[in-house]
């Protein structure tokens, strides 16, 4: 079991017919907790029913809520989610919200110092307040995991490069990989060449790229590991990449072989994509049966 702290947005994903609790860092934290890790969430909510329900949820799933701040002047996060006919999501992310204003405190500094890993994304740095807090916390972290979550217009080339240079592990999807490769003036076309190029430019030994239903590629200590994905019927893709990352981190921090880790994480991501919402309950026995059905 590892101690892991996640930083960033906690919010409500509002679908056309219902709403669900989400936010990429919270989804990652949820999956990490479900895998048996000790997880702390650093974020902020507003006062009122939406914030109270979010906080109760965090407590109920076993995530440490001690670093979730409550703000009087800002509302709890909300995202309008739109799904196309293939289940792929697009987002309207309301701003400003409480998670944009996370304050630096001794409590969240100690949480990061005492953790084996610190997980953060780019969206949580869209506002100066949370961005400055994040920069300070990164300085205290033992192992820094950067989950790119590119949501225009809430990032800049300069911000992404700074966070990549700070990270020990970077997770992209395939579109993000090629966008960032362009920022770094890569002349390469293949995925592997661009992964190695970014690893060298940012001095990052661990990089993972998800490829949707085609699986994922992991560069780990100068060696590539591959999974080609699992054949499923997609219900919605919300949270699939987050559960993938949480599962992969959990496995790697437990010293599971990188090939087994990426196979396991791809299975979890696929199982989330064939379910409704970001955080379906998945039993280990069901994951094992999904990986080895015969």
């Amino acid at each position: 079991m590892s101690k892991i702290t996640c930083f960033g947005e906690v919010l409500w994903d509002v679908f056309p017919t219902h709403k669900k609790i989400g936010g990429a860092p919270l989804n990652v934290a949820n999956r990490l907790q479900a895998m048996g890790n000790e997880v702390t969430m650093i974020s902020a909510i507003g006062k009122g029913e939406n914030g109270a329900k979010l906080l109760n949820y965090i407590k109920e799933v076993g995530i440490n809520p001690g670093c979730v701040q409550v703000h009087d002047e800002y509302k709890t996060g909300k995202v309008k989610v739109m799904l196309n006919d293939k289940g792929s999501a697009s987002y309207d992310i309301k701003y400003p919200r409480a998670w944009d204003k996370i304050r630096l405190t001794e409590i969240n500094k100690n949480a990061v110092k005492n953790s084996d890993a610190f997980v953060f994304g780019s969206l949580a740095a869209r506002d100066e307040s949370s961005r400055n807090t994040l920069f300070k916390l990164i300085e205290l972290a033992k192992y820094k995991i950067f989950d790119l979550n590119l949501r225009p217009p809430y990032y800049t080339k300069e911000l992404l490069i700074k966070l990549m240079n700070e990270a020990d592990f970077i997770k992209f999807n395939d579109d993000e990989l090629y966008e960032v490769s362009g920022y770094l003036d890569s002349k390469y076309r293949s995925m592997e060449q661009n992964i190695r190029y970014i690893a060298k430019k940012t001095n990052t030994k661990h990089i993972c790229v998800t490829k949707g239903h085609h699986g994922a590629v992991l560069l780990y200590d100068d060696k590539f590991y591959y999974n080609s994905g699992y054949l499923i019927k997609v219900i919605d893709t919300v949270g699939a990449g987050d559960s993938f990352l949480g599962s992969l981190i959990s496995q790697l921090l437990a010293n599971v072989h990188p090939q087994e880790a990426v196979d396991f994480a791809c299975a979890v991501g696929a199982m989330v994509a064939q379910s409704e919402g970001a955080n379906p309950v998945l039993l280990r026995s069901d994951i094992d049966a999904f990986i080895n059905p015969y």
Side-chain angles (χ1 to χ4, degrees):
M1 182 180 74
S2 300
K3 293 181 71 173
I4 305 161
T5 297
C6 298
F7 177 96
E9 61 272 21
V10 298
L11 49 81
W12 287 92
D13 285 323
V14 181
F15 295 83
T17 58
H18 62 285
K19 66 179 184 178
K20 283 184 173 283
I21 288 169
L26 179 55
N27 294 339
V28 173
N30 198 335
R31 193 57 58 192
L32 283 165
Q33 182 69 32
M35 297 293 172
N37 300 286
E38 185 179 333
V39 185
T40 297
M41 186 74 225
I42 299 177
S43 190
I45 55 174
K47 283 195 169 179
E49 183 180 2
N50 281 337
K53 285 183 176 179
L54 246 172
L55 189 58
N56 285 337
Y57 174 82
I58 290 169
K59 293 175 182 176
E60 285 171 3
V61 297
I63 298 169
N64 180 358
C67 293
V68 178
Q69 301 163 9
V70 181
H71 292 341
D72 292 330
E73 62 272 42
Y74 294 99
K75 294 180 179 180
T76 297
K78 184 171 80 169
V79 174
K80 184 179 180 183
V81 183
M82 294 146 285
L83 300 174
N84 66 17
D85 56 2
K86 295 181 179 179
S88 295
S90 57
Y91 307 93
D92 176 14
I93 308 167
K94 304 304 180 183
Y95 175 86
R97 293 287 159 148
W99 58 265
D100 290 305
K101 308 294 180 180
I102 302 170
R103 297 184 289 263
L104 185 68
T105 66
E106 289 302 314
I107 294 173
N108 56 34
K109 286 163 64 175
N110 286 332
V112 174
K113 283 180 188 176
N114 295 323
S115 291
D116 300 304
F118 180 52
V119 184
F120 57 92
S122 50
L123 183 58
R126 69 175 180 173
D127 184 275
E128 183 179 14
S129 298
S130 288
R131 183 166 64 245
N132 288 340
T133 298
L134 175 59
F135 289 165
K136 293 292 186 183
L137 293 176
I138 284 172
E139 295 173 6
L140 306 174
K142 295 183 182 79
Y143 186 73
K144 294 154 281 189
I145 299 166
F146 178 30
D147 177 19
L148 274 83
N149 196 5
L150 302 190
R151 300 284 183 256
Y154 298 125
Y155 63 93
T156 64
K157 168 185 171 180
E158 293 73 22
L159 171 66
L160 297 180
I161 291 172
K162 176 176 174 58
L163 292 175
M164 286 191 297
N165 283 327
E166 296 284 354
D168 301 299
F169 184 112
I170 306 172
K171 182 251 182 186
F172 302 90
N173 65 32
D174 44 3
D175 290 334
E176 291 166 344
L177 173 74
Y178 286 107
E179 182 173 335
V180 169
S181 296
Y183 292 160
L184 296 174
D185 300 317
S186 169
K187 307 302 180 189
Y188 298 112
R189 299 185 69 179
S190 83
M191 181 170 289
E192 288 83 357
Q193 286 174 315
N194 278 298
I195 291 171
R196 286 199 182 277
Y197 181 80
I198 291 172
K200 184 176 180 180
K201 292 284 276 188
T202 63
N203 193 30
T204 307
K205 291 185 177 181
H206 304 153
I207 293 178
C208 188
V209 180
T210 57
K211 303 190 296 177
H213 64 280
H214 295 297
V217 179
L218 172 66
L219 178 66
Y220 201 82
D221 293 341
D222 207 37
K223 184 176 180 181
F224 280 110
Y225 301 90
Y226 299 87
N227 180 282
S228 57
Y230 297 90
L231 189 62
I232 60 164
K233 181 180 180 181
V234 174
I235 301 300
D236 75 60
T237 60
V238 177
D242 305 327
S243 276
F244 168 90
L245 179 59
S247 303
L248 182 63
I249 293 167
S250 184
Q251 296 280 293
L252 293 174
L253 290 178
N255 295 315
V256 171
H257 188 277
Q259 186 61 61
E260 290 182 42
V262 75
D263 290 342
F264 182 85
C266 282
V268 172
M271 293 175 78
V272 172
Q274 69 178 10
S275 306
E276 184 183 276
N279 296 301
V281 174
L282 303 177
L283 300 177
R284 179 59 191 253
S285 58
D286 292 334
I287 299 168
D288 290 340
F290 184 87
I291 296 171
N292 298 297
Y294 305 111

